[in-house]
């Protein structure tokens, strides 16, 4: 690439309405906040000029500076200084790389933008070159599975989910799971996620439960989301949004793990029947997998400890504690 | 086993001269051969097929004999793996090898002769130990035997050792190589069995249960010691009736006397395998159970479900024969105790129990 040619390209004052409004074939900006840039340009002017490319007939496509152009347009400037390249002198790949390197030098790309970059590169470069040179440049592992995921994000993901992803409100894992669903189910699940503001871990749990239950019951994800108990939670005015999210997950967990949740219920019943001293608790092993149960006694001094141990020692029913499926409630 | 189709052979430069590689190539006269440099084989991104129709001949650089990757948290049988190949032409939906989809092809190690030599040295220099060795951990032991004829190489070597046994574990009926061999002593041929429901739906390209058991009967009647592995046990609709059908078939074909062991194991997998299974086998039922994270970080069924599976199988297998050599694969002391009525307590305890079975059967 002839780097000198970029630097020495002519500066022109261009009418803003003659600059193409779309991000164009080199665009890699998504989900950005325009206000700070507008404020900066309003205060100190345009410090770094955009680069455009002109086809033979006068149309100008943005190579770099898309966001600056949007900011200037929102300030209603009639014209703005731009560096203008001639189409005959620069290949599309060179234009793309110019924008890519300029972006990488000044900011971190979000995951949607990385998808845009890879999708553009995919039109010009062989896969092995993208893997070798560009995946690392984008801080991505050089594997084709990841590459495919980012292409899918660019090509198949719905706009609202892209916004969520760009803002870091959903993880790549969550997006991958949504992309494995059919588009209608994906939108329904995303609707629930955004309505009840599930956090990133909860999103993964939710999607996992829904997919699993759908497989087990042969009901579609959309049908599951229309289930009455779930609907009741959504409409329950006594719960706030985080409480609703938790209640949905609890409901789905009970459906996904009937024996485990039953065992937990039975165990809790067993423990609640005991008249445990204050600040004393008995916990089952995680998922009842280890054979060891846990007793926790909080105390301020030895006397209190002795008193609590004494009560535990004499407590009726304590010997019943154990695997709930063996003892029953 | 459904027909084994090899469409291409990839040979790493420098190994085509090896006798073992040449023999394999002679058995595949019309198959295109591509020679590549060491490590040149590209990771193909074919999660669906995983290069199961391409045979890759290469040298193995690691230790040929490795202990079974047991974990501290569960009782392990102390089995040793002879690493002859990785990947498998069969396509069970629950197979852990799917995690290695980015290291595709049927990789067959052609420096086996040198590797086995090392292994035999280890065996011979430890006459007081019993080595239970198997080839069926990273591949099916017999699935590509018609091409590799491992049986020709390995049977005579292990037959001579008094402190080792070689177990060939399979879901196929590829026993021709075994039957033409004159060696029987210290060789165990074992079959992985499941319910007919799982065998048909989930063990793609494997031989039918009937064919597996016919092959087992033939091996048994021709003097081989046989074993069975109900692993992975998978609860599914009407699982009791379904597993009973397999036990009935077992009774029909096999004489329980002289079976060296029958293992029971329930499905377990690293969490990362789940999305791969979902993508490769969208209609599978193997992910439907109540999986929890086990103490070793693997997903496994909630404990009472596992105990119910084992207890049911134990009750019925012990009706068939009072001492069928039952053992649990990667289970905890309390699960052993409650579902088998006894426990070896530790991995060493289980090792001693299985070594004793070897001595009882082979002397
Ligand atoms: S036979 Fe064994 S190695 Fe082969 S696909 Fe099935 S589980 Fe995997």
């Amino acid at each position: 690439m002839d780097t000198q040619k970029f630097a020495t390209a002519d500066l022109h004052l261009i009418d803003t309405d003659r600059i193409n409004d779309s991000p164009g074939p080199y665009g890699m900006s998504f989900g950005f906040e325009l206000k700070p840039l507008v404020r900066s340009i309003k205060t100190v002017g345009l410090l770094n000029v955009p680069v455009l490319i002109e086809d033979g007939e006068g149309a100008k496509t943005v190579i770099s500076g898309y966001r600056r152009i949007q900011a200037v347009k929102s300030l209603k400037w009639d014209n703005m200084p731009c560096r203008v390249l001639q189409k005959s002198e620069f290949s599309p790949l060179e234009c793309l790389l110019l924008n890519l390197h300029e972006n990488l030098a000044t900011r971190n790309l979000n995951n949607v933008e990385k998808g845009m970059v890879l999708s553009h590169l995919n039109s010009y470069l062989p896969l092995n070159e993208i893997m070798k040179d560009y995946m690392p440049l984008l801080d991505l592992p050089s594997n084709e599975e990841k590459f495919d995921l980012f292409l899918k994000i660019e090509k198949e993901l719905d706009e609202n989910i892209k916004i969520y992803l760009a803002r870091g409100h959903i993880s790549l894992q969550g997006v991958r799971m949504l992309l494995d669903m059919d588009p209608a189910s994906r939108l329904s699940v995303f609707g629930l996620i955004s309505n009840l503001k599930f956090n990133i871990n909860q999103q993964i749990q939710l999607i996992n439960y829904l997919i699993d239950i759908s497989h087990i019951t042969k009901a579609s994800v959309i049908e599951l989301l229309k289930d009455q108990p779930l609907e009741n939670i959504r409409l329950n005015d006594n719960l706030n949004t985080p409480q609703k999210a938790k209640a949905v997950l609890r409901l789905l967990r009970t459906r996904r793990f009937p024996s485990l949740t039953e065992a937990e219920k039975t165990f809790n019943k067993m423990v609640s029947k005991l008249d445990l001293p204050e600040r004393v608790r008995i916990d089952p092993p995680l998922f009842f997998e280890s054979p060891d149960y846990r007793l926790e006694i909080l105390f301020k001094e030895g006397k209190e400890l002795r008193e609590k141990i004494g009560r535990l020692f004499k407590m009726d029913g304590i010997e019943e504690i154990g695997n709930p499926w063996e003892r029953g409630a | 086993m459904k027909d084994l189709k090899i469409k291409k052979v990839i040979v790493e430069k420098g190994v085509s001269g090896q006798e073992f590689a040449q023999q394999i190539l002679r058995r595949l006269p019309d198959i295109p051969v591509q020679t590549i440099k060491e490590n040149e084989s590209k990771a193909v991104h074919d999660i669906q097929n995983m290069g199961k129709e391409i045979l890759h001949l290469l040298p193995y650089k690691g230790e040929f004999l490795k202990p079974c990757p047991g974990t501290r948290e569960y009782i392990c049988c102390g089995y040793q793996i002879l690493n002859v190949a990785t990947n498998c032409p069969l396509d069970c939906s629950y197979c852990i090898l799917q995690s290695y989809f980015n290291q595709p092809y049927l990789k067959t190690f052609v420096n086996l002769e040198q590797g086995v030599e090392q292994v035999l040295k280890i065996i011979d220099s430890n006459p007081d130990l019993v080595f239970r060795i198997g080839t069926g951990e990273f591949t099916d032991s017999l699935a590509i035997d018609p091409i590799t004829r491992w049986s020709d190489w390995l049977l005579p070597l292990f037959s001579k050792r008094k402190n080792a046994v070689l177990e060939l574990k399979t879901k196929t009926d590829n026993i021709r190589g075994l039957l033409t061999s004159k060696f029987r002593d210290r060789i165990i041929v074992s079959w992985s069995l499941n319910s007919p429901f799982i065998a048909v739906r989930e063990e793609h390209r494997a031989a039918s249960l009937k064919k597996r058991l016919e092959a087992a009967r033939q091996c048994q009647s021709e003097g081989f010691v046989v074993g069975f592995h109900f692993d992975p046990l998978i609860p599914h609709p009407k699982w009791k009736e379904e597993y009973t059908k397999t036990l009935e078939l077992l009774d029909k074909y096999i004489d329980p006397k002289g079976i060296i062991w029958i293992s029971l194991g329930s499905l377990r997998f690293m969490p990362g395998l789940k999305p791969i299974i979902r993508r490769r086998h969208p209609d599978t039922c193997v992910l439907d159970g109540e999986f929890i994270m086990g103490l070793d970080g693997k997903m496994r069924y909630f404990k009472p479900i596992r105990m119910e599976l084992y207890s049911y199988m134990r009750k019925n297998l012990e009706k068939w024969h009072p001492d069928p050599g039952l053992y649990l694969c990667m289970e905890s002391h309390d699960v052993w105790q409650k579902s088998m009525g006894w426990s070896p307590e530790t991995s060493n305890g289980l090792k001693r129990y299985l070594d004793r079975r070897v001595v009882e059967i082979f002397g």
Side-chain angles (χ1 to χ4, degrees), chain A residues 104-130:
Chain A
L104 289 176
T106 51
R107 67 192 187 96
N108 293 323
L109 300 185
N110 64 45
N111 282 323
V112 178
E113 293 172 330
K114 288 179 185 181
M116 294 166 83
V117 172
L118 290 172
S119 167
H120 292 325
L121 287 170
N122 197 32
S123 318
Y124 305 118
L125 291 173
L127 185 62
N128 58 359
E129 200 174 329
I130 299 177

Side-chain angles (χ1 to χ4, degrees), chain B residues 52 88 90-92 94-95 97 138-140 171:
Chain B
K52 280 177 184 275
C88 176
L90 277 54
D91 197 20
C92 307
Y94 51 74
C95 180
L97 298 174
F138 300 120
T139 184
D140 180 286
K171 288 190 187 104

